[in-house]
């Protein structure tokens, strides 16, 4: 490390360092400023998007819950939410609610479309892990009811094997049993039983295991 005998030498060394590296320092400063501006702009944009999405979501949900609900108004608000604010939690929550409603009404094809759209928009770096997981499980259950067993395993394959919910193990077991892979199905049912805290689910899993054994 260089040693300087006076303040003048230290100042001169600083000036020389700046002269020698001025282009690098300038570029670095511009990049830092650009990153700060982008970060502030992104936060402001997100805040604005969420405020506007919240207003449309409230109107959509209020209309959905009303006895005198207008289907055309309901669809208009939903479409506006998905077209302009699809990345917001409000749009994704609306997609989940409508998909669940379709499934309860027995319109599995429409439900599958909504949950696949939810899976797509909730994936990635800025996605929502919880809604993404909900989408996967619902897609898997619909595909299971359609006996599309390979599709079930494909959509559930991306779950972290160390943090899976018992329901995921159970649905995987159902799909493997449908594919007549009984040993693999037994493994999944056993994992589900091991991780389950729900007594009714445990009873159902034991029945499925007994069915394989018999």
């Amino acid at each position: 490390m260089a040693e300087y005998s006076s303040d003048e030498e230290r100042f001169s060394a600083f000036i020389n360092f700046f002269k020698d590296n001025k282009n690098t320092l300038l570029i670095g400063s511009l990049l830092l400023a650009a990153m700060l501006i982008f970060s502030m702009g992104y936060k402001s944009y997100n805040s604005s998007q969420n405020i506007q999405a919240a207003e449309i979501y409230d109107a959509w949900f209020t209309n959905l819950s009303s006895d005198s609900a207008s289907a055309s108004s309901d669809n208009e608000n939903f479409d506006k939410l998905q077209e302009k604010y699809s990345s917001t939690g409000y749009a994704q929550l609306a997609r989940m609610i409508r998909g669940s409603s379709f499934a309860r009404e027995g319109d599995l094809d429409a439900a599958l479309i909504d949950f696949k759209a939810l899976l797509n928009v909730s994936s990635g770096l800025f996605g929502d892990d919880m809604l993404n997981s909900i989408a996967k499980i619902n897609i898997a259950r619909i595909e299971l009811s359609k006996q599309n067993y390979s599709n079930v395993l494909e959509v559930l394959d991306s779950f972290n094997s160390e943090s899976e919910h018992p329901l995921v193990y159970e649905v995987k077991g159902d799909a493997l049993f449908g594919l007549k892979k009984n040993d693999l199905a037994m493994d999944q049912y056993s994992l589900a039983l091991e991780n389950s805290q729900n007594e009714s689910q445990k009873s159902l899993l034991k029945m499925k295991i007994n069915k394989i054994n018999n």
Side-chain angles (χ1 to χ4, degrees):
M1 182 176 178
E3 294 184 2
Y4 304 102
S5 59
S6 67
D7 291 338
E8 288 78 7
E9 287 185 0
R10 292 189 186 91
F11 183 73
S12 177
F14 174 78
I15 294 298
N16 290 334
F17 174 82
F18 183 81
K19 286 180 179 179
D20 293 340
N21 298 277
K22 61 182 179 180
N23 289 335
T24 301
L25 292 171
L26 179 60
I27 293 172
S29 298
L30 290 174
L31 286 174
L32 180 59
M35 288 173 64
L36 289 172
I37 292 171
F38 174 80
S39 177
M40 293 173 63
Y42 182 74
K43 288 180 180 178
S44 176
Y45 173 77
N46 271 352
S47 178
S48 175
Q49 287 284 97
N50 279 321
I51 290 171
Q52 295 175 62
E55 293 178 358
I56 299 172
Y57 174 85
D58 287 342
W60 172 79
F61 190 77
T62 299
N63 192 62
L64 186 71
S65 306
S66 173
D67 293 334
S68 57
S70 167
S72 60
S73 176
D74 179 43
N75 291 333
E76 181 182 347
N77 284 324
F78 183 86
D79 291 342
K80 187 186 297 183
L81 200 55
Q82 303 306 323
E83 289 169 6
K84 295 185 177 181
Y85 309 101
S86 61
S87 63
T88 66
Y90 293 101
Q92 294 173 30
L93 183 59
R95 181 75 76 178
M96 184 194 74
I97 290 172
R98 196 179 76 163
S100 299
S101 178
F102 281 141
R104 284 194 302 271
E105 293 167 0
D107 192 346
L108 298 183
D109 290 333
L112 193 59
I113 290 172
D114 267 344
F115 284 122
K116 283 185 175 180
L118 177 60
L119 177 63
N120 182 59
V121 76
S122 63
S123 298
L125 182 62
F126 299 105
D128 187 303
D129 290 339
M130 184 183 73
L131 290 176
N132 192 259
S133 296
I134 290 172
K136 289 177 183 177
I137 291 172
N138 279 282
I139 291 170
R141 295 178 76 172
I142 292 171
E143 294 285 20
L144 186 65
S145 69
K146 291 173 169 287
Q147 299 184 356
N148 296 329
Y149 303 123
S150 295
N151 291 352
V152 175
L153 297 176
E154 182 179 351
V155 74
L156 295 180
D157 186 58
S158 59
F159 271 104
N160 185 337
S161 61
E162 295 181 358
S163 60
E164 285 182 10
H165 190 277
L167 179 59
V168 176
Y169 290 124
E170 182 179 357
V171 175
K172 279 186 176 181
D174 291 342
L176 289 165
F177 182 72
L179 291 170
K180 303 187 186 310
K181 297 181 179 181
N182 292 356
D183 290 341
L184 294 177
M186 177 71 82
D187 291 340
Q188 294 300 313
Y189 288 147
S190 297
L191 285 170
L193 185 61
E194 180 182 330
N195 288 276
S196 178
Q197 302 297 321
N198 184 291
E199 291 303 321
S200 60
Q201 185 184 22
K202 286 183 178 181
S203 297
L204 180 60
L205 286 165
K206 289 175 182 177
M207 289 174 60
K208 291 180 178 181
I209 290 172
N210 288 336
K211 186 175 181 179
I212 293 178
N213 288 331
N214 297 332

